[in-house]
Amino acid sequence: MNIEFRTITQSDSIILNHLFSYYLYELSAYSMEDVSNEGKYEAEDLSPYYRDDRLFPYLIMVDNRIAGFILVTSPPYVTDGIDYSVQELFLLPRYRGQGIGQAAVLHIFKHHHGHYEISMFRNNTKAVKFWSALLSSLHIDAGSDIGIIEISGNRLPTQTLRFVISNEPLSVPAPIDCTLPLK
């Protein structure tokens, strides 16, 4: 299996928008969001991801096929004192449980060193398990905070992990077996 990461550009905007609708569909189990009156999940404006060089969007490719995406932000799109945040990580169902999500995160960590913040819905136990297991396997100590986010009038519990990725090489752990979405 050949895993590659391709920076998302303006020419990939339709691909990202299509994939993002699947992501929002799956995330709705945790966000409690409804579809629009047109019967679809409405994505925010994703165009800053391919226009702003402080945002790092990647398509995840497996054997030259689209497998998902990972979206990373940096200041001013992150909390003060934070350098990067993995905002969204999504794999299509066929590519889950094969270490591809882990490979995507390791790719990000290899290219973006600094203070990280990852937030997820607490009831998304697969995401919580994925991030906790991955950071543990990399011997990365992470602080954890519990919070609340309000989406469409729903108050939802969140968990935020904060940690540092240095420029020292990370040892690659065995694949983490979790199903995505990992927000």
Side-chain angles (χ1 to χ4, degrees), residues 13-43:
S13 63
I14 291 174
I15 295 169
L16 179 59
N17 282 319
H18 286 220
L19 288 173
F20 210 83
S21 67
Y22 294 119
Y23 171 71
L24 290 175
Y25 161 75
E26 289 199 3
L27 202 61
S28 71
Y30 312 106
S31 70
M32 308 304 292
E33 291 182 271
D34 289 313
V35 294
S36 70
N37 289 334
E38 292 83 35
K40 62 182 183 175
Y41 288 96
E42 297 290 336

PDB file of all heavy atoms in Angstrom, residues 13-43:
ATOM      1  N   SER A  13     -10.909  21.929  -5.008  1.00  0.00           N
ATOM      2  CA  SER A  13     -11.976  22.418  -4.142  1.00  0.00           C
ATOM      3  C   SER A  13     -13.239  21.556  -4.214  1.00  0.00           C
ATOM      4  O   SER A  13     -13.876  21.310  -3.187  1.00  0.00           O
ATOM      5  CB  SER A  13     -12.303  23.873  -4.453  1.00  0.00           C
ATOM      6  OG  SER A  13     -12.795  24.003  -5.780  1.00  0.00           O
ATOM      7  N   ILE A  14     -13.596  21.074  -5.367  1.00  0.00           N
ATOM      8  CA  ILE A  14     -14.798  20.237  -5.490  1.00  0.00           C
ATOM      9  C   ILE A  14     -14.595  18.929  -4.743  1.00  0.00           C
ATOM     10  O   ILE A  14     -15.497  18.454  -4.049  1.00  0.00           O
ATOM     11  CB  ILE A  14     -15.160  20.006  -6.967  1.00  0.00           C
ATOM     12  CG1 ILE A  14     -15.644  21.319  -7.571  1.00  0.00           C
ATOM     13  CG2 ILE A  14     -16.212  18.920  -7.118  1.00  0.00           C
ATOM     14  CD1 ILE A  14     -15.911  21.275  -9.056  1.00  0.00           C
ATOM     15  N   ILE A  15     -13.405  18.357  -4.847  1.00  0.00           N
ATOM     16  CA  ILE A  15     -13.102  17.101  -4.146  1.00  0.00           C
ATOM     17  C   ILE A  15     -13.232  17.316  -2.640  1.00  0.00           C
ATOM     18  O   ILE A  15     -13.886  16.532  -1.948  1.00  0.00           O
ATOM     19  CB  ILE A  15     -11.688  16.599  -4.500  1.00  0.00           C
ATOM     20  CG1 ILE A  15     -11.609  16.233  -5.982  1.00  0.00           C
ATOM     21  CG2 ILE A  15     -11.297  15.401  -3.624  1.00  0.00           C
ATOM     22  CD1 ILE A  15     -10.195  15.987  -6.482  1.00  0.00           C
ATOM     23  N   LEU A  16     -12.613  18.391  -2.131  1.00  0.00           N
ATOM     24  CA  LEU A  16     -12.684  18.652  -0.691  1.00  0.00           C
ATOM     25  C   LEU A  16     -14.128  18.876  -0.257  1.00  0.00           C
ATOM     26  O   LEU A  16     -14.555  18.339   0.771  1.00  0.00           O
ATOM     27  CB  LEU A  16     -11.820  19.848  -0.305  1.00  0.00           C
ATOM     28  CG  LEU A  16     -11.851  20.230   1.177  1.00  0.00           C
ATOM     29  CD1 LEU A  16     -11.382  19.058   2.055  1.00  0.00           C
ATOM     30  CD2 LEU A  16     -11.004  21.465   1.436  1.00  0.00           C
ATOM     31  N   ASN A  17     -14.890  19.639  -1.010  1.00  0.00           N
ATOM     32  CA  ASN A  17     -16.291  19.880  -0.644  1.00  0.00           C
ATOM     33  C   ASN A  17     -17.101  18.589  -0.621  1.00  0.00           C
ATOM     34  O   ASN A  17     -17.914  18.385   0.281  1.00  0.00           O
ATOM     35  CB  ASN A  17     -16.930  20.908  -1.585  1.00  0.00           C
ATOM     36  CG  ASN A  17     -16.511  22.315  -1.243  1.00  0.00           C
ATOM     37  OD1 ASN A  17     -16.431  22.686  -0.076  1.00  0.00           O
ATOM     38  ND2 ASN A  17     -16.215  23.113  -2.252  1.00  0.00           N
ATOM     39  N   HIS A  18     -16.886  17.712  -1.579  1.00  0.00           N
ATOM     40  CA  HIS A  18     -17.610  16.435  -1.600  1.00  0.00           C
ATOM     41  C   HIS A  18     -17.226  15.587  -0.398  1.00  0.00           C
ATOM     42  O   HIS A  18     -18.099  15.041   0.289  1.00  0.00           O
ATOM     43  CB  HIS A  18     -17.330  15.684  -2.895  1.00  0.00           C
ATOM     44  CG  HIS A  18     -18.016  16.258  -4.088  1.00  0.00           C
ATOM     45  ND1 HIS A  18     -18.592  15.486  -5.060  1.00  0.00           N
ATOM     46  CD2 HIS A  18     -18.213  17.539  -4.474  1.00  0.00           C
ATOM     47  CE1 HIS A  18     -19.127  16.260  -5.977  1.00  0.00           C
ATOM     48  NE2 HIS A  18     -18.899  17.517  -5.642  1.00  0.00           N
ATOM     49  N   LEU A  19     -15.925  15.452  -0.146  1.00  0.00           N
ATOM     50  CA  LEU A  19     -15.471  14.650   0.991  1.00  0.00           C
ATOM     51  C   LEU A  19     -15.964  15.250   2.306  1.00  0.00           C
ATOM     52  O   LEU A  19     -16.337  14.522   3.229  1.00  0.00           O
ATOM     53  CB  LEU A  19     -13.946  14.550   1.006  1.00  0.00           C
ATOM     54  CG  LEU A  19     -13.308  13.686  -0.064  1.00  0.00           C
ATOM     55  CD1 LEU A  19     -11.790  13.827  -0.023  1.00  0.00           C
ATOM     56  CD2 LEU A  19     -13.711  12.229   0.093  1.00  0.00           C
ATOM     57  N   PHE A  20     -15.965  16.578   2.383  1.00  0.00           N
ATOM     58  CA  PHE A  20     -16.369  17.237   3.619  1.00  0.00           C
ATOM     59  C   PHE A  20     -17.833  16.958   3.944  1.00  0.00           C
ATOM     60  O   PHE A  20     -18.200  16.850   5.102  1.00  0.00           O
ATOM     61  CB  PHE A  20     -16.105  18.749   3.546  1.00  0.00           C
ATOM     62  CG  PHE A  20     -15.804  19.354   4.881  1.00  0.00           C
ATOM     63  CD1 PHE A  20     -14.525  19.309   5.405  1.00  0.00           C
ATOM     64  CD2 PHE A  20     -16.796  19.960   5.627  1.00  0.00           C
ATOM     65  CE1 PHE A  20     -14.237  19.852   6.647  1.00  0.00           C
ATOM     66  CE2 PHE A  20     -16.522  20.517   6.867  1.00  0.00           C
ATOM     67  CZ  PHE A  20     -15.241  20.457   7.377  1.00  0.00           C
ATOM     68  N   SER A  21     -18.678  16.803   2.933  1.00  0.00           N
ATOM     69  CA  SER A  21     -20.086  16.486   3.197  1.00  0.00           C
ATOM     70  C   SER A  21     -20.216  15.102   3.826  1.00  0.00           C
ATOM     71  O   SER A  21     -21.040  14.905   4.719  1.00  0.00           O
ATOM     72  CB  SER A  21     -20.932  16.607   1.931  1.00  0.00           C
ATOM     73  OG  SER A  21     -20.577  15.624   0.986  1.00  0.00           O
ATOM     74  N   TYR A  22     -19.400  14.146   3.402  1.00  0.00           N
ATOM     75  CA  TYR A  22     -19.399  12.819   4.042  1.00  0.00           C
ATOM     76  C   TYR A  22     -18.900  12.920   5.485  1.00  0.00           C
ATOM     77  O   TYR A  22     -19.426  12.268   6.386  1.00  0.00           O
ATOM     78  CB  TYR A  22     -18.524  11.824   3.268  1.00  0.00           C
ATOM     79  CG  TYR A  22     -19.044  11.488   1.902  1.00  0.00           C
ATOM     80  CD1 TYR A  22     -18.295  11.778   0.771  1.00  0.00           C
ATOM     81  CD2 TYR A  22     -20.279  10.869   1.735  1.00  0.00           C
ATOM     82  CE1 TYR A  22     -18.773  11.470  -0.491  1.00  0.00           C
ATOM     83  CE2 TYR A  22     -20.762  10.560   0.475  1.00  0.00           C
ATOM     84  CZ  TYR A  22     -20.001  10.866  -0.631  1.00  0.00           C
ATOM     85  OH  TYR A  22     -20.473  10.557  -1.879  1.00  0.00           O
ATOM     86  N   TYR A  23     -17.876  13.734   5.665  1.00  0.00           N
ATOM     87  CA  TYR A  23     -17.324  13.951   7.000  1.00  0.00           C
ATOM     88  C   TYR A  23     -18.387  14.533   7.932  1.00  0.00           C
ATOM     89  O   TYR A  23     -18.570  14.053   9.053  1.00  0.00           O
ATOM     90  CB  TYR A  23     -16.112  14.883   6.891  1.00  0.00           C
ATOM     91  CG  TYR A  23     -15.568  15.359   8.213  1.00  0.00           C
ATOM     92  CD1 TYR A  23     -14.889  14.495   9.058  1.00  0.00           C
ATOM     93  CD2 TYR A  23     -15.725  16.677   8.608  1.00  0.00           C
ATOM     94  CE1 TYR A  23     -14.377  14.938  10.274  1.00  0.00           C
ATOM     95  CE2 TYR A  23     -15.218  17.124   9.813  1.00  0.00           C
ATOM     96  CZ  TYR A  23     -14.551  16.245  10.638  1.00  0.00           C
ATOM     97  OH  TYR A  23     -14.053  16.683  11.830  1.00  0.00           O
ATOM     98  N   LEU A  24     -19.099  15.558   7.477  1.00  0.00           N
ATOM     99  CA  LEU A  24     -20.141  16.179   8.302  1.00  0.00           C
ATOM    100  C   LEU A  24     -21.269  15.203   8.607  1.00  0.00           C
ATOM    101  O   LEU A  24     -21.826  15.214   9.706  1.00  0.00           O
ATOM    102  CB  LEU A  24     -20.695  17.429   7.622  1.00  0.00           C
ATOM    103  CG  LEU A  24     -19.741  18.618   7.556  1.00  0.00           C
ATOM    104  CD1 LEU A  24     -20.374  19.749   6.755  1.00  0.00           C
ATOM    105  CD2 LEU A  24     -19.326  19.078   8.937  1.00  0.00           C
ATOM    106  N   TYR A  25     -21.601  14.356   7.649  1.00  0.00           N
ATOM    107  CA  TYR A  25     -22.616  13.332   7.872  1.00  0.00           C
ATOM    108  C   TYR A  25     -22.209  12.436   9.041  1.00  0.00           C
ATOM    109  O   TYR A  25     -22.981  12.208   9.969  1.00  0.00           O
ATOM    110  CB  TYR A  25     -22.826  12.504   6.605  1.00  0.00           C
ATOM    111  CG  TYR A  25     -23.500  11.187   6.848  1.00  0.00           C
ATOM    112  CD1 TYR A  25     -24.872  11.118   7.118  1.00  0.00           C
ATOM    113  CD2 TYR A  25     -22.774  10.000   6.825  1.00  0.00           C
ATOM    114  CE1 TYR A  25     -25.494   9.904   7.357  1.00  0.00           C
ATOM    115  CE2 TYR A  25     -23.391   8.792   7.062  1.00  0.00           C
ATOM    116  CZ  TYR A  25     -24.749   8.747   7.328  1.00  0.00           C
ATOM    117  OH  TYR A  25     -25.351   7.540   7.567  1.00  0.00           O
ATOM    118  N   GLU A  26     -20.976  11.942   9.013  1.00  0.00           N
ATOM    119  CA  GLU A  26     -20.504  11.070  10.093  1.00  0.00           C
ATOM    120  C   GLU A  26     -20.363  11.819  11.407  1.00  0.00           C
ATOM    121  O   GLU A  26     -20.679  11.293  12.467  1.00  0.00           O
ATOM    122  CB  GLU A  26     -19.189  10.409   9.700  1.00  0.00           C
ATOM    123  CG  GLU A  26     -19.397   9.381   8.622  1.00  0.00           C
ATOM    124  CD  GLU A  26     -18.260   8.411   8.526  1.00  0.00           C
ATOM    125  OE1 GLU A  26     -17.306   8.482   9.328  1.00  0.00           O
ATOM    126  OE2 GLU A  26     -18.337   7.542   7.635  1.00  0.00           O
ATOM    127  N   LEU A  27     -19.891  13.045  11.347  1.00  0.00           N
ATOM    128  CA  LEU A  27     -19.695  13.840  12.548  1.00  0.00           C
ATOM    129  C   LEU A  27     -21.020  14.227  13.203  1.00  0.00           C
ATOM    130  O   LEU A  27     -21.080  14.483  14.394  1.00  0.00           O
ATOM    131  CB  LEU A  27     -18.881  15.089  12.207  1.00  0.00           C
ATOM    132  CG  LEU A  27     -18.151  15.767  13.347  1.00  0.00           C
ATOM    133  CD1 LEU A  27     -17.128  14.833  13.978  1.00  0.00           C
ATOM    134  CD2 LEU A  27     -17.479  17.031  12.855  1.00  0.00           C
ATOM    135  N   SER A  28     -22.104  14.211  12.418  1.00  0.00           N
ATOM    136  CA  SER A  28     -23.415  14.610  12.957  1.00  0.00           C
ATOM    137  C   SER A  28     -23.881  13.680  14.079  1.00  0.00           C
ATOM    138  O   SER A  28     -24.691  14.076  14.910  1.00  0.00           O
ATOM    139  CB  SER A  28     -24.465  14.668  11.850  1.00  0.00           C
ATOM    140  OG  SER A  28     -24.804  13.371  11.388  1.00  0.00           O
ATOM    141  N   ALA A  29     -23.351  12.475  14.132  1.00  0.00           N
ATOM    142  CA  ALA A  29     -23.684  11.573  15.243  1.00  0.00           C
ATOM    143  C   ALA A  29     -23.217  12.160  16.570  1.00  0.00           C
ATOM    144  O   ALA A  29     -23.769  11.840  17.629  1.00  0.00           O
ATOM    145  CB  ALA A  29     -23.047  10.201  15.018  1.00  0.00           C
ATOM    146  N   TYR A  30     -22.206  13.037  16.526  1.00  0.00           N
ATOM    147  CA  TYR A  30     -21.645  13.647  17.729  1.00  0.00           C
ATOM    148  C   TYR A  30     -22.010  15.124  17.850  1.00  0.00           C
ATOM    149  O   TYR A  30     -22.178  15.638  18.948  1.00  0.00           O
ATOM    150  CB  TYR A  30     -20.120  13.489  17.732  1.00  0.00           C
ATOM    151  CG  TYR A  30     -19.716  12.076  17.425  1.00  0.00           C
ATOM    152  CD1 TYR A  30     -19.171  11.742  16.185  1.00  0.00           C
ATOM    153  CD2 TYR A  30     -19.929  11.053  18.344  1.00  0.00           C
ATOM    154  CE1 TYR A  30     -18.830  10.432  15.890  1.00  0.00           C
ATOM    155  CE2 TYR A  30     -19.602   9.746  18.043  1.00  0.00           C
ATOM    156  CZ  TYR A  30     -19.054   9.440  16.816  1.00  0.00           C
ATOM    157  OH  TYR A  30     -18.730   8.144  16.525  1.00  0.00           O
ATOM    158  N   SER A  31     -22.123  15.813  16.714  1.00  0.00           N
ATOM    159  CA  SER A  31     -22.412  17.250  16.733  1.00  0.00           C
ATOM    160  C   SER A  31     -23.898  17.539  16.859  1.00  0.00           C
ATOM    161  O   SER A  31     -24.269  18.677  17.165  1.00  0.00           O
ATOM    162  CB  SER A  31     -21.888  17.914  15.454  1.00  0.00           C
ATOM    163  OG  SER A  31     -22.658  17.513  14.326  1.00  0.00           O
ATOM    164  N   MET A  32     -24.731  16.546  16.599  1.00  0.00           N
ATOM    165  CA  MET A  32     -26.185  16.665  16.675  1.00  0.00           C
ATOM    166  C   MET A  32     -26.741  17.665  15.661  1.00  0.00           C
ATOM    167  O   MET A  32     -27.841  18.179  15.819  1.00  0.00           O
ATOM    168  CB  MET A  32     -26.639  17.050  18.094  1.00  0.00           C
ATOM    169  CG  MET A  32     -26.084  16.161  19.192  1.00  0.00           C
ATOM    170  SD  MET A  32     -26.436  14.411  18.967  1.00  0.00           S
ATOM    171  CE  MET A  32     -28.182  14.384  19.186  1.00  0.00           C
ATOM    172  N   GLU A  33     -25.991  17.928  14.587  1.00  0.00           N
ATOM    173  CA  GLU A  33     -26.453  18.856  13.565  1.00  0.00           C
ATOM    174  C   GLU A  33     -27.432  18.170  12.620  1.00  0.00           C
ATOM    175  O   GLU A  33     -27.340  16.978  12.369  1.00  0.00           O
ATOM    176  CB  GLU A  33     -25.267  19.407  12.774  1.00  0.00           C
ATOM    177  CG  GLU A  33     -24.407  20.333  13.606  1.00  0.00           C
ATOM    178  CD  GLU A  33     -23.261  20.912  12.828  1.00  0.00           C
ATOM    179  OE1 GLU A  33     -22.198  20.268  12.821  1.00  0.00           O
ATOM    180  OE2 GLU A  33     -23.432  21.984  12.239  1.00  0.00           O
ATOM    181  N   ASP A  34     -28.352  18.957  12.098  1.00  0.00           N
ATOM    182  CA  ASP A  34     -29.335  18.485  11.137  1.00  0.00           C
ATOM    183  C   ASP A  34     -28.919  18.869   9.729  1.00  0.00           C
ATOM    184  O   ASP A  34     -28.096  19.764   9.533  1.00  0.00           O
ATOM    185  CB  ASP A  34     -30.712  19.101  11.423  1.00  0.00           C
ATOM    186  CG  ASP A  34     -31.333  18.531  12.681  1.00  0.00           C
ATOM    187  OD1 ASP A  34     -31.327  17.294  12.835  1.00  0.00           O
ATOM    188  OD2 ASP A  34     -31.822  19.322  13.508  1.00  0.00           O
ATOM    189  N   VAL A  35     -29.538  18.226   8.755  1.00  0.00           N
ATOM    190  CA  VAL A  35     -29.315  18.610   7.367  1.00  0.00           C
ATOM    191  C   VAL A  35     -30.045  19.912   7.086  1.00  0.00           C
ATOM    192  O   VAL A  35     -30.960  20.308   7.813  1.00  0.00           O
ATOM    193  CB  VAL A  35     -29.804  17.506   6.387  1.00  0.00           C
ATOM    194  CG1 VAL A  35     -28.973  16.254   6.515  1.00  0.00           C
ATOM    195  CG2 VAL A  35     -31.274  17.215   6.571  1.00  0.00           C
ATOM    196  N   SER A  36     -29.651  20.573   6.017  1.00  0.00           N
ATOM    197  CA  SER A  36     -30.314  21.814   5.597  1.00  0.00           C
ATOM    198  C   SER A  36     -31.676  21.484   4.997  1.00  0.00           C
ATOM    199  O   SER A  36     -32.042  20.310   4.841  1.00  0.00           O
ATOM    200  CB  SER A  36     -29.449  22.526   4.547  1.00  0.00           C
ATOM    201  OG  SER A  36     -29.459  21.778   3.336  1.00  0.00           O
ATOM    202  N   ASN A  37     -32.415  22.503   4.625  1.00  0.00           N
ATOM    203  CA  ASN A  37     -33.712  22.302   3.977  1.00  0.00           C
ATOM    204  C   ASN A  37     -33.569  21.618   2.619  1.00  0.00           C
ATOM    205  O   ASN A  37     -34.543  21.091   2.090  1.00  0.00           O
ATOM    206  CB  ASN A  37     -34.446  23.640   3.822  1.00  0.00           C
ATOM    207  CG  ASN A  37     -34.916  24.168   5.157  1.00  0.00           C
ATOM    208  OD1 ASN A  37     -35.137  23.415   6.104  1.00  0.00           O
ATOM    209  ND2 ASN A  37     -35.055  25.481   5.244  1.00  0.00           N
ATOM    210  N   GLU A  38     -32.368  21.638   2.064  1.00  0.00           N
ATOM    211  CA  GLU A  38     -32.098  20.942   0.806  1.00  0.00           C
ATOM    212  C   GLU A  38     -31.705  19.487   1.033  1.00  0.00           C
ATOM    213  O   GLU A  38     -31.404  18.765   0.086  1.00  0.00           O
ATOM    214  CB  GLU A  38     -30.986  21.646   0.008  1.00  0.00           C
ATOM    215  CG  GLU A  38     -31.381  23.009  -0.527  1.00  0.00           C
ATOM    216  CD  GLU A  38     -31.224  24.100   0.531  1.00  0.00           C
ATOM    217  OE1 GLU A  38     -30.290  24.013   1.351  1.00  0.00           O
ATOM    218  OE2 GLU A  38     -32.058  25.015   0.548  1.00  0.00           O
ATOM    219  N   GLY A  39     -31.667  19.058   2.296  1.00  0.00           N
ATOM    220  CA  GLY A  39     -31.348  17.669   2.614  1.00  0.00           C
ATOM    221  C   GLY A  39     -29.874  17.337   2.585  1.00  0.00           C
ATOM    222  O   GLY A  39     -29.501  16.187   2.371  1.00  0.00           O
ATOM    223  N   LYS A  40     -29.013  18.324   2.822  1.00  0.00           N
ATOM    224  CA  LYS A  40     -27.573  18.042   2.845  1.00  0.00           C
ATOM    225  C   LYS A  40     -26.929  18.748   4.027  1.00  0.00           C
ATOM    226  O   LYS A  40     -27.500  19.668   4.611  1.00  0.00           O
ATOM    227  CB  LYS A  40     -26.914  18.455   1.530  1.00  0.00           C
ATOM    228  CG  LYS A  40     -26.997  19.926   1.217  1.00  0.00           C
ATOM    229  CD  LYS A  40     -26.358  20.213  -0.128  1.00  0.00           C
ATOM    230  CE  LYS A  40     -26.375  21.708  -0.393  1.00  0.00           C
ATOM    231  NZ  LYS A  40     -25.673  22.042  -1.614  1.00  0.00           N
ATOM    232  N   TYR A  41     -25.746  18.285   4.364  1.00  0.00           N
ATOM    233  CA  TYR A  41     -24.974  18.930   5.419  1.00  0.00           C
ATOM    234  C   TYR A  41     -24.199  20.078   4.794  1.00  0.00           C
ATOM    235  O   TYR A  41     -23.497  19.899   3.804  1.00  0.00           O
ATOM    236  CB  TYR A  41     -24.036  17.932   6.104  1.00  0.00           C
ATOM    237  CG  TYR A  41     -24.801  16.968   6.965  1.00  0.00           C
ATOM    238  CD1 TYR A  41     -25.173  15.723   6.483  1.00  0.00           C
ATOM    239  CD2 TYR A  41     -25.200  17.328   8.247  1.00  0.00           C
ATOM    240  CE1 TYR A  41     -25.907  14.847   7.276  1.00  0.00           C
ATOM    241  CE2 TYR A  41     -25.936  16.458   9.038  1.00  0.00           C
ATOM    242  CZ  TYR A  41     -26.284  15.229   8.546  1.00  0.00           C
ATOM    243  OH  TYR A  41     -27.017  14.371   9.324  1.00  0.00           O
ATOM    244  N   GLU A  42     -24.366  21.247   5.376  1.00  0.00           N
ATOM    245  CA  GLU A  42     -23.750  22.457   4.841  1.00  0.00           C
ATOM    246  C   GLU A  42     -22.366  22.643   5.435  1.00  0.00           C
ATOM    247  O   GLU A  42     -22.222  22.786   6.644  1.00  0.00           O
ATOM    248  CB  GLU A  42     -24.610  23.681   5.159  1.00  0.00           C
ATOM    249  CG  GLU A  42     -25.980  23.656   4.527  1.00  0.00           C
ATOM    250  CD  GLU A  42     -25.954  23.843   3.017  1.00  0.00           C
ATOM    251  OE1 GLU A  42     -24.984  24.421   2.487  1.00  0.00           O
ATOM    252  OE2 GLU A  42     -26.915  23.394   2.381  1.00  0.00           O
ATOM    253  N   ALA A  43     -21.367  22.659   4.575  1.00  0.00           N
ATOM    254  CA  ALA A  43     -19.994  22.902   5.019  1.00  0.00           C
ATOM    255  C   ALA A  43     -19.755  24.396   5.131  1.00  0.00           C
ATOM    256  O   ALA A  43     -20.357  25.194   4.415  1.00  0.00           O
ATOM    257  CB  ALA A  43     -19.013  22.294   4.026  1.00  0.00           C
TER     258      ALA A  43
END
